[in-house]
Amino acid sequence: MFYMQDDKERLPKLLEYVLCLIHLAVFGILGVLTRYVLQKLFGPRVAGLTNDKNILYLDLPSNMVGSFLMGWWGIVFKADISSVSDYLAIGLTTGYLGSLTTFSGWNQKMLDLIVDGHWVLAVLGFLVGENPYCLFLAAYSIIFGIETAKGFRWLLTRRNACTGSGTPSSSSNWRVDSFKRHLAVMGVLILMLGLLWGVCGALLREEFSSGNSGAQLWLACFVGPPGVWIRWFLARLNGRGLGRAGSFKWVPFGTLAANVSAACIMAALSTVKKAVNSQTSDTVASGIQLGFLGCLSTVSTFTAEFNAMRESERPWRAYAYALITICISFGLGILIYSVPVWTKGYG
């Protein structure tokens, strides 16, 4: 789980965990804020390109941007970032990009379309949203990110070759490879986390008491980090397979568990919102959905895993993995959300 390199000073195990958790928390909150900004920027009140009523759902831009950046930071330049700081690589990919993108939000939008009777749009949402490589957008975004990052790396290599400065690598002056530097970074991030939570707490108190919808965002910033932490711990299941024999090691069960569980909890909270139908419950449930569940689930990692399988000797595994994730999440979502809404007649 830790990407410590031999030429870097070893840290106490507890400090390693603390550094990882703090990086994940800070970058996770930044991911939530970026996702919210993209929702508003491309939503019906500004650009008018996305909304809750069609297949161009509100989280589509953040899923595409996050998948694109995963091609840069999580694949092509991952080694370069890790050479500066292993924890920065974890924070950027698992923390920021994993929280910028969300699988559960997309799954819930498809369930909402079905409840409203828009079955055709829901099916198209699968095809346009997160389905395999030949079916567009989020899956293509990471491919586009990888290719553009490779092009940029080639330009850097060519420039450095002309100037005689060597291959593009991180300067040793920027490397966080000593105990003192790690403590300094941890201190800065703790201050950032305290500042973020302090501002969010003050704004949450003000917005919640006045009944404004902005309270959802500030609550999301509080509950987002635990979602990132759980997804990070679940990532330990990737590559282990099932049982003592380790069957199906090619299936990233950690990512699968994170996405499916987040989709199920998202559906359950949506059912509660329909049943209770009050402003307080709507604010609290929406804040948890935006923050905790949005950070627990991820599209950027999902598409990175899908792309790696697609380029392997057994590309069919990529499509099987995507199908398993989508069918389980959507099937359980129908049972948890759609069926109660239909049978109880929630408005």
Side-chain angles (χ1 to χ4, degrees):
M1 186 57 62
F2 302 108
Y3 308 97
M4 302 303 296
Q5 300 173 1
D6 294 336
D7 61 340
K8 295 181 180 179
E9 183 177 332
R10 295 291 302 185
L11 300 175
K13 208 67 176 178
L14 179 60
L15 183 58
E16 287 184 347
Y17 274 104
V18 172
L19 276 169
C20 278
L21 294 178
I22 293 175
H23 276 78
L24 291 170
V26 172
F27 283 100
I29 292 174
L30 296 178
V32 172
L33 292 171
T34 306
R35 173 155 40 92
Y36 183 82
V37 169
L38 290 174
Q39 284 181 355
K40 298 301 181 182
L41 181 62
F42 290 94
R45 294 186 177 180
V46 183
L49 298 177
T50 61
N51 60 65
D52 288 329
K53 302 302 181 181
N54 61 38
I55 58 176
L56 297 179
Y57 55 99
L58 292 175
D59 290 323
L60 181 59
S62 61
N63 284 346
M64 292 179 63
V65 171
S67 297
F68 173 82
L69 292 176
M70 179 62 80
W72 279 69
W73 299 341
I75 298 178
V76 177
F77 289 103
K78 183 176 182 179
D80 300 88
I81 298 173
S82 294
S83 69
V84 175
S85 170
D86 301 300
Y87 306 103
L88 177 60
I90 295 173
L92 283 173
T93 55
T94 304
Y96 181 71
L97 298 181
S99 302
L100 171 60
T101 62
T102 173
F103 178 87
S104 58
W106 161 79
N107 189 73
Q108 187 58 42
K109 296 309 176 187
M110 299 306 104
L111 292 173
D112 288 333
L113 288 174
I114 285 183
V115 166
D116 294 335
H118 303 304
W119 285 87
V120 175
L121 289 179
V123 172
L124 289 175
F126 278 119
L127 302 181
V128 174
E130 321 301 344
N131 224 337
Y133 152 75
C134 60
L135 300 175
F136 311 150
L137 301 184
Y140 263 125
S141 296
I142 192 169
I143 298 173
F144 184 56
I146 292 172
E147 296 304 319
T148 53
K150 287 180 178 178
F152 185 69
R153 175 181 283 281
W154 178 83
L155 290 174
L156 287 180
T157 304
R158 188 181 180 93
R159 188 203 66 176
N160 291 335
C162 294
T163 59
S165 57
T167 57
S169 60
S170 301
S171 172
S172 59
N173 293 330
W174 290 97
R175 290 180 182 173
V176 184
D177 53 4
S178 67
F179 187 80
K180 290 182 178 180
R181 289 190 176 188
H182 282 299
L183 286 181
V185 171
M186 184 171 69
V188 171
L189 289 178
I190 289 176
L191 289 176
M192 288 181 62
L193 183 60
L195 179 62
L196 285 169
W197 271 345
V199 172
C200 290
L203 293 173
L204 174 61
R205 191 179 302 109
E206 179 182 348
E207 297 281 351
F208 196 87
S209 60
S210 60
N212 293 333
S213 59
Q216 300 173 5
L217 172 61
W218 311 124
L219 176 60
C221 292
F222 269 103
V223 300
V228 187
W229 295 334
I230 293 174
R231 173 160 48 82
W232 178 65
F233 279 108
L234 285 176
R236 298 165 181 264
L237 300 176
N238 293 340
R240 291 192 174 185
L242 296 175
R244 293 183 178 179
S247 304
F248 301 103
K249 285 187 176 181
W250 59 272
V251 178
F253 285 105
T255 306
L256 178 65
N259 282 337
V260 171
S261 60
C264 291
I265 301 173
M266 176 82 75
L269 285 176
S270 296
T271 305
V272 171
K273 287 164 63 176
K274 290 277 189 180
V276 177
N277 193 26
S278 70
Q279 181 176 325
T280 300
S281 66
D282 185 74
T283 299
V284 174
S286 297
I288 296 174
Q289 289 175 324
L290 177 64
F292 177 75
L293 299 178
C295 293
L296 175 58
S297 64
T298 177
V299 167
S300 58
T301 303
F302 174 77
T303 54
E305 294 164 346
F306 173 86
N307 188 67
M309 294 180 192
R310 186 186 61 83
E311 294 181 345
S312 69
E313 296 180 354
R314 296 180 176 88
W316 61 267
R317 289 179 172 178
Y319 302 95
Y321 171 48
L323 190 62
I324 290 170
T325 303
I326 290 172
C327 288
I328 294 177
S329 301
F330 194 67
L332 292 176
I334 289 178
L335 294 176
I336 297 171
Y337 175 68
S338 302
V339 172
V341 171
W342 287 330
T343 56
K344 299 295 184 180
Y346 297 136

